[in-house]
Amino acid sequence: MKILISGAGIAGPTLAYWLSHHGFEPTLIERAPRLRTGGYVIDFWGLGFDVAERMGLLPELAREGYTVREVRFVDREGKKAGGFSSEVASRLAHGRYLSIPRGELAAAIHRKVSDRVETIFGDEISEITQTEDTVQVAFTRGGPREFDLVIGADGLHSGVRRLVFGEPSRFEKYLGYKVAAFEVAGYRPRDEEVYVLYTQVGQQVARFAMREDRTMFLFVFADEDCGDAGEGGLQSPKRLLRERFGASGWECSRILDAMEASGDIYFDRVSQIRMSEWTRGRVALVGDAAFCVSLLAGQGSALGMAGAYILAGELHRARGDHREAFSRYRQLFAPFIAKKQKAAERFAGSFAPKSALGLFVRNQVSRILSVPFVAELAMGSDLRDTLDLPAY
């Protein structure tokens, strides 16, 4: 079977790997002219960690990843206001936990398929027409082609979802926050292996020292307007960040000045995708396109990998019967995702609490996370995946 996968981020190449492993013929198409890099540092654990292990990726991810010793909350003078040792998270995840730039994870997965899966960069799907037996696909640049199945793994703003399932507003649940991230070289100070966060009511900025004298910055702020500030090009998010953080304390002024040297800023709203169905005819969705839990949940990449693994495995188990496979895919994964989305919605507020009381409580709780039962109560359920991956 020939299967077109839209999106060469994390879920798409993972799906391509497992489809190829099971004897299918996948093709990846990516709108960007090349593999996307940069972004932000993610925490990686749970089912995605298990999938990466089955793909033989763990040694490479360990080399490219980081061991974070401490998460440190600071006040406007830079003095410690709270935080905890990252050993807490690692212990709860039984040591199966690492931090890695999202772009490095995507690149590592794509290297696994680059020599055996056709990848088309710089193009996208413009039209999908289904028949009883095939899917006719038109592209923005390339000529039309025919496939047995089409899978949308093209993220929160999925084009496949829009073409086949309808307007994005029907499925997107905005959580009331915006997020931005960028990297710069030569920033000072550096706190090696420490994730440093400065939080005010309704907004937060964080920095993390990376290799080759680079520093990653992540901004999160509450915003009732769900509109996209990126429509005016690179300067729009920069202008918005200056408006929101320009008068803040700590290192914000210095960070905003450093931002001007960055030619690539990730900017988006923090949303979830909630759908009653992930498939329609010969088209299916996976990863953030189907069930985005939100960037602030910290597990979107891992869940995308797990969903891709299950979808490919069910197509193999059903011997290519997409109706049976699609049904099993949702039956196995949807209840688990529903729980993750509810937990993520609760967790989002801890990044930038919307009240002074909420900020105070978060800082105080963080100080006692070294006590095992407190850590279990506060983080245990979020760091423990209760679904067992099938062995296909």
Side-chain angles (χ1 to χ4, degrees), residues 185-203:
Y187 181 86
R188 295 294 182 274
R190 287 173 63 87
D191 292 275
E192 303 293 341
E193 299 182 336
V194 179
Y195 204 82
V196 186
L197 306 98
Y198 170 57
T199 313
Q200 298 170 285
V201 174
Q203 61 188 49

Side-chain angles (χ1 to χ4, degrees), residues 37-38 55-56 69 86 122 131 157 163 174 178 212 225 229 241 244 257 278 333 366 388 391:
T37 59
M55 294 173 69
R69 289 188 297 105
S86 293
T131 69
H157 308 292
L163 288 171
Y174 178 56
K178 299 281 178 58
E212 300 178 359
D225 179 11
L241 291 176
R244 288 298 302 250
D257 288 343
W278 297 340
F333 210 45
S366 73
D388 291 326

Side-chain angles (χ1 to χ4, degrees), residues 302-372:
L303 294 177
M305 292 178 70
Y309 171 85
I310 290 172
L311 176 56
E314 290 302 326
L315 281 166
H316 168 65
R317 178 173 284 175
R319 299 179 181 273
D321 182 339
H322 67 279
R323 295 179 182 85
E324 179 183 340
F326 287 177
S327 176
R328 283 281 298 162
Y329 160 55
R330 181 168 174 82
Q331 180 184 342
L332 277 171
F333 210 45
F336 175 76
I337 286 294
K339 293 178 183 177
K340 287 290 182 180
Q341 287 187 323
K342 289 179 182 177
E345 195 170 3
R346 294 193 305 268
F347 185 64
S350 68
F351 276 81
K354 294 182 179 179
S355 71
L357 177 61
L359 177 56
F360 173 79
V361 170
R362 187 206 65 175
N363 288 347
Q364 298 312 305
V365 169
S366 73
R367 291 175 177 274
I368 57 173
L369 283 177
S370 59
V371 180

Side-chain angles (χ1 to χ4, degrees), residues 34-52:
R34 64 189 65 83
L35 206 62
R36 298 176 190 267
T37 59
Y40 45 91
V41 175
I42 63 171
D43 296 321
F44 189 62
W45 78 94
L47 294 181
F49 201 100
D50 297 338
V51 174

Side-chain angles (χ1 to χ4, degrees), residues 12 30 33-34 48 68 81 121 153 158 160 188 190 208 217 280 288 295 330 355 369 371:
E30 168 58 48
R34 64 189 65 83
V68 182
F121 286 104
S158 169
V160 172
R188 295 294 182 274
R190 287 173 63 87
F208 182 71
F217 300 96
R280 183 165 290 178
D288 283 354
L295 178 145
R330 181 168 174 82
S355 71
L369 283 177
V371 180

